[in-house]
Amino acid sequence: MKLLRHGPAGAEKPGILDAEGRVRDLSGIVRDIDAATLSPEGLDRLRALDLSSLPLVEENVRLGVPVAHVGNLVCIGLNYTDHAEETNAPIPSQPIIFNKHTGSLSGAFDDVILPPGSTKLDWEVELAFVIGRPCWHVSEEEALSYVAGYTILNDLSEREYQLEWEGQWAKGKSYPTFAPCGPYLVTPDEVGDPQNLDLWLDLNGHREQTGTTTRMIFTCAHIVAYASRFMALQPGDIITTGTPPGVGLGRKPPVFMKEGDVMRLGISGLGEQQQTLKSRTA
């Protein structure tokens, strides 16, 4: 299944994509794409639906973040060998965990806001997954059974704030619109092996990132098990898994974005995103 949330920002409704790629409304079935819906029982209930009986949603409707009430947005840094190499960072021996503020989440096609004075805004296409049931001290063997689905996240990063100013990475990662997410939450039965997916990102029509999750240092299963040792993950929590090579920071000399730039990105089986960079006053 491809689950989604449609409508104006702040007033999204739950939806699902049918076999013809049309958006169907789930408002009469579930309250939202939230913890109850993401549970194994909730997902089974949706699988049993006759989608043709659900109301069609108008074409070109805005798609919001595909998960409601996200409590935690956990990120893994430097999780591709070739990305660590391009940024001259050592290959980590354990997952590098940091957080983005959940207020950075936005829809897959919403504009990205350029912070006033920002000169080093960078792009990062990433595979993300969403927790479907409480997850604390789980084994790697059972870890993926706690995943409700997979999605795309663009981990936008202001490199000056992240790397040149004192403190943690979070302030370079957490500005509003710095985490476009979606367009869909795709259930594991449709995704297959999450360690065999292709990722890509274009900037202004030029291919910047091309990668595959086969090059992850730490698999999705390992990340779930590892993170659950240090925090009690809850339904609706999003974990994003790192980016492949091709970021602006890795260019020689580095290349960063400016107002008017357009990012288009995607992951096999999970759909595509597109964002335009706008100033805060635009």
Side-chain angles (χ1 to χ4, degrees):
M1 296 183 292
K2 289 185 172 71
L3 305 177
L4 54 90
R5 297 173 67 242
H6 62 91
E12 293 93 345
K13 297 179 180 180
I16 189 169
L17 211 64
D18 68 17
E20 288 72 43
R22 298 173 298 184
V23 176
R24 299 276 182 168
D25 184 63
L26 285 172
S27 297
I29 307 296
V30 296
R31 178 182 57 189
D32 212 334
I33 308 299
D34 56 13
T37 303
L38 296 173
S39 69
E41 299 77 15
L43 294 177
D44 285 344
R45 182 186 180 198
L46 296 185
R47 287 190 183 96
L49 293 173
D50 175 9
L51 298 190
S52 65
S53 68
L54 299 175
L56 277 170
V57 176
E58 64 185 67
E59 294 183 8
N60 302 317
V61 68
R62 174 186 174 273
L63 298 181
V65 180
V67 181
H69 315 304
V70 177
N72 202 9
L73 178 49
V74 181
C75 306
I76 305 298
L78 299 173
N79 195 30
Y80 286 73
T81 52
D82 31 16
H83 173 56
E85 291 164 356
E86 74 170 345
T87 56
N88 297 313
I91 304 297
S93 59
Q94 298 183 44
I96 297 172
I97 298 178
F98 64 95
N99 281 80
K100 290 173 81 88
H101 193 289
T102 56
S104 64
L105 286 162
S106 59
F109 302 96
D110 292 347
D111 291 337
V112 168
I113 302 171
L114 181 66
S118 168
T119 60
K120 296 185 178 180
L121 185 59
D122 206 347
W123 55 86
E124 295 189 12
V125 58
E126 303 198 7
L127 171 68
F129 56 82
V130 178
I131 298 298
R133 55 193 177 107
C135 178
W136 186 33
H137 286 287
V138 303
S139 69
E140 188 167 339
E141 291 71 26
E142 64 180 341
L144 292 186
S145 70
Y146 289 82
V147 173
Y150 298 85
T151 189
I152 305 168
L153 192 136
N154 189 355
D155 178 20
L156 288 150
S157 307
E158 214 300 342
R159 300 300 191 188
E160 181 181 3
Y161 304 170
Q162 177 191 0
L163 301 173
E164 299 176 32
W165 292 8
E166 294 181 1
Q168 298 183 347
W169 286 3
K171 63 188 174 185
K173 300 275 191 173
S174 294
Y175 199 75
T177 72
F178 271 23
C181 185
Y184 316 117
L185 178 66
V186 185
T187 51
D189 54 333
E190 187 166 333
V191 172
D193 182 3
Q195 303 310 142
N196 190 28
L197 302 176
D198 296 326
L199 309 83
W200 56 272
L201 181 144
D202 293 347
L203 179 65
N204 300 325
H206 182 267
R207 182 61 46 94
E208 298 289 349
Q209 288 187 276
T210 302
T212 170
T213 58
T214 62
R215 296 297 302 273
M216 278 188 185
I217 300 168
F218 306 106
T219 65
C220 294
H222 184 89
I223 290 167
V224 173
Y226 184 85
S228 78
R229 293 167 53 188
F230 307 103
M231 59 189 81
L233 299 167
Q234 299 299 319
D237 284 353
I238 297 175
I239 302 182
T240 189
T241 61
T243 197
V247 299
L249 181 66
R251 298 271 292 274
K252 296 179 176 51
V255 174
F256 301 113
M257 292 188 289
K258 62 186 184 305
E259 185 176 3
D261 283 349
V262 177
M263 292 167 284
R264 183 168 167 262
L265 56 149
I267 299 178
S268 51
L270 303 185
E272 297 183 5
Q273 298 186 357
Q274 181 168 305
Q275 300 99 33
T276 300
L277 196 60
K278 300 287 184 67
S279 68
R280 185 169 181 267
T281 56

